[in-house]
Amino acid sequence: MILDKKQLDHLVSLTRIELDLSEEKKILKDLREILVHFEELETIDTSSVSKMVGGTNLKNILRIDEIGASDEVATLKESFPEEKDGFLKTPLIFE
């Protein structure tokens, strides 16, 4: 696939950027080189390569979240100076 000026203009309009003539020429050249590289990659035979899902065989080593009894609420309430109607009151930030 060869990228032409019309396709570049379409991409530029989608990205809502403004390019001058020299920038257009440079980007067009760069995008063409990128597309050529992908065309080369498409010619590689990958039939003998095993498929991957994700990219790694690492396992999650984080702990499992478990719901249990905790006294954190009591500790949290102790750190607030005041409580009203079951809600914790904080000092005024805005007046």
Side-chain angles (χ1 to χ4, degrees), residues 1-50:
M1 173 184 182
I2 295 176
L3 190 69
D4 60 12
K5 173 89 167 77
K6 182 179 175 185
Q7 291 168 321
L8 179 63
D9 290 340
H10 179 67
L11 291 173
V12 168
S13 70
L14 290 175
T15 58
R16 297 182 178 140
I17 58 175
E18 294 181 19
L19 301 175
D20 61 32
L21 188 58
S22 65
E23 291 172 325
E24 279 186 9
K25 287 180 181 178
K26 182 181 182 329
I27 289 178
L28 191 58
K29 177 184 173 285
D30 291 346
L31 288 174
R32 284 179 178 162
E33 289 175 5
I34 291 169
L35 290 174
V36 166
H37 180 69
F38 276 98
E39 287 173 355
E40 289 174 12
L41 289 175
E42 287 178 348
T43 63
I44 298 172
D45 179 24
T46 59
S47 60
S48 63
V49 178
S50 61

Side-chain angles (χ1 to χ4, degrees), residues 66-82:
E66 296 176 356
I67 299 174
S70 173
D71 64 342
E72 291 177 14
V73 174
T75 306
L76 182 64
K77 283 185 175 183
E78 290 172 7
S79 66
F80 276 82
E82 202 175 334

